[in-house]
């Protein structure tokens, strides 16, 4: 079971009523903040449960309570920073970035002026409590780490490692 599956299961067990974790949903940049066609598809997003009943594939960033990004084996640091910046500008309140390349994670809370006010770093094996209204404690003990061969191949071996 990959990181996204483990997180989706944990979130599903602990999210408050009215919120659900979705693996195939995109988020739009709010109106007036750039290109109207600007959107991103995170690995996992927490949205109101009614989202699953709508026909639209594009959620508003104001509806996202949490976004999860799992770093791919070949992803560059500037790509990760770009995603963090994008979510901050979109005012996503909580961003959880999981990096199986080195067994670390970062929790970003409180978007503010193109960045986040609070950044909590951690390593796999350390649990992290998501802020309210989420309130879920994420256990990272069983998160898989990419192998050296996958990094050397640019990630081809890990096509399903995060899902």
């Amino acid at each position: 079971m990959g990181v996204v599956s483990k997180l989706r299961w944990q979130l599903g067990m602990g999210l408050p009523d009215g919120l659900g974790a979705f693996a195939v949903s995109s988020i739009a940049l709010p109106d007036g903040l750039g290109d109207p066609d600007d959107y991103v598809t995170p690995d996992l997003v927490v949205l109101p449960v009614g989202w699953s009943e709508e026909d639209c594939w594009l959620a508003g960033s104001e509806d996202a309570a949490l976004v999860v990004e799992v770093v791919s084996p070949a992803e560059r640091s500037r790509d990760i920073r770009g995603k963090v910046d994008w979510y901050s500008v979109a005012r996503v309140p909580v961003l959880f970035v999981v990096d199986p390349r080195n067994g670390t994670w970062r929790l970003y809370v409180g978007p503010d002026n193109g960045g986040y006010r609070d950044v909590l770093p951690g390593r796999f094996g350390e649990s992290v409590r998501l802020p309210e209204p989420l309130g879920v404690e994420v256990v990272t003990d069983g998160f898989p780490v990419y192998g050296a061969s996958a990094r050397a191949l640019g990630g081809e071996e890990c096509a399903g490692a995060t899902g």
Side-chain angles (χ1 to χ4, degrees):
M1 185 184 290
V3 171
V4 172
S5 297
K6 288 175 183 279
L7 275 170
R8 190 170 184 191
W9 182 83
Q10 287 185 51
L11 291 170
M13 299 298 289
L15 284 173
D17 288 343
L19 292 176
F22 300 90
V24 185
S25 300
S26 296
I27 299 171
L29 193 63
D31 290 339
L33 293 180
D35 184 341
D37 293 328
D38 197 3
Y39 68 91
V40 67
T41 304
D43 293 300
L44 195 62
V45 59
V46 172
L47 296 164
V49 291
W51 171 250
S52 63
E53 298 165 8
E54 295 187 21
D55 289 335
C56 186
W57 60 274
L58 193 58
S61 61
E62 68 278 1
D63 293 328
L66 166 73
V67 164
V68 176
E69 284 286 351
V70 178
V71 179
S72 69
E75 201 157 7
R76 295 184 171 155
S77 294
R78 79 176 150 201
D79 296 335
I80 298 163
R81 283 191 306 272
K83 287 180 182 181
V84 172
D85 292 347
W86 192 98
Y87 288 118
S88 174
V89 167
R91 314 268 321 139
V92 171
V94 182
L95 170 63
F96 190 46
V97 177
V98 180
D99 193 344
R101 299 174 308 176
N102 55 21
T104 62
W105 52 261
R106 284 186 181 272
L107 183 68
Y108 297 85
V109 179
D112 187 33
N113 292 325
Y116 279 88
R117 285 189 303 272
D118 299 312
V119 181
L120 177 65
R123 301 196 68 69
F124 289 10
E126 298 171 349
S127 295
V128 58
R129 177 160 294 283
L130 301 177
E132 295 300 330
L134 302 166
V136 176
E137 180 149 346
V138 174
V139 178
T140 65
D141 286 352
F143 285 5
V145 177
Y146 298 137
S149 62
R151 282 192 296 272
L153 293 172
E156 289 88 356
E157 273 186 67
C158 292
T162 60

